[in-house]
Amino acid sequence: MANAKVIQAKQEAVEVVAAKLRESVTTVVADYRGLNVAQVTELRKQLREAGIEFQVLKNTLLRRATASAELTELDAVLTGPTAIAFGKDDAVSAAKILNDFAKKNNALELKGAVVEGRVIGVEEIKALAELPSREGLLSMLLSVLQAPMRNFALAVKAVAEKEEQSA
């Protein structure tokens, strides 16, 4: 009877992780071996502030969850101690925080990620981390959209000033 309860609990845990894999915009897998408690606490704090869930999970549980979520390409990086960050809001923040933390703490090693259902490698994670945040991209877009109107307004103002001077 106890075994049935344990198996049921493990199956539920697999389904919860599989659901997180499906729902997350970005999921980053990292090796946290060598980080001390203070460093892990700081990393968790930074991720929590950005709305990113960070968990340490067993690789066997993760492999079953990736099979359930049809992301078995991720299984290649599920070796050694594995921590996983689930980012639900935007594609950049989880990669950015973990990449910046890895630069400061050599013990944290990025392994791979899933971005919008596509498995990517370490180099692609680093490239993604270099992108501006969602707010930064939106402000850039707004600036580009405003530029023609601003230039037109300046041209009209210059013409009006020129006509005033000649009158």
Side-chain angles (χ1 to χ4, degrees), residues 18 90 95 109 128:
D90 71 68
E109 177 187 339
L128 181 66

Side-chain angles (χ1 to χ4, degrees), residues 12-35:
E12 289 173 6
V14 166
E15 284 308 311
V16 167
V17 173
K20 288 178 185 178
L21 284 168
R22 283 187 218 102
E23 295 166 3
S24 297
V25 176
T26 303
T27 303
V28 181
V29 179
D31 182 345
Y32 64 94
R33 187 178 7 201
L35 291 177

Side-chain angles (χ1 to χ4, degrees), residues 5-79:
K5 288 181 182 179
V6 170
I7 290 171
Q8 179 67 26
K10 286 183 179 181
Q11 287 173 341
E12 289 173 6
V14 166
E15 284 308 311
V16 167
V17 173
K20 288 178 185 178
L21 284 168
R22 283 187 218 102
E23 295 166 3
S24 297
V25 176
T26 303
T27 303
V28 181
V29 179
D31 182 345
Y32 64 94
R33 187 178 7 201
L35 291 177
N36 62 35
V37 174
Q39 291 169 322
V40 172
T41 303
E42 176 60 27
L43 177 60
R44 284 182 188 272
K45 179 180 175 247
Q46 289 177 20
L47 291 167
R48 192 177 327 107
E49 288 171 355
I52 299 163
E53 186 177 347
F54 186 72
Q55 292 182 315
V56 174
L57 298 169
K58 291 186 177 249
N59 290 327
T60 52
L61 183 138
L62 278 171
R63 283 190 192 97
R64 289 185 176 145
T66 58
S68 177
E70 298 177 1
L71 294 168
T72 54
E73 304 93 31
L74 195 61
D75 290 352
V77 298
L78 298 179
T79 58

Side-chain angles (χ1 to χ4, degrees), residues 70-105:
E70 298 177 1
L71 294 168
T72 54
E73 304 93 31
L74 195 61
D75 290 352
V77 298
L78 298 179
T79 58
T82 301
I84 192 163
F86 299 101
K88 294 183 178 164
D89 295 330
D90 71 68
V92 179
S93 58
K96 185 179 287 292
I97 292 169
L98 286 167
N99 187 52
D100 290 347
F101 196 85
K103 285 179 184 176
K104 295 174 190 164
N105 301 283

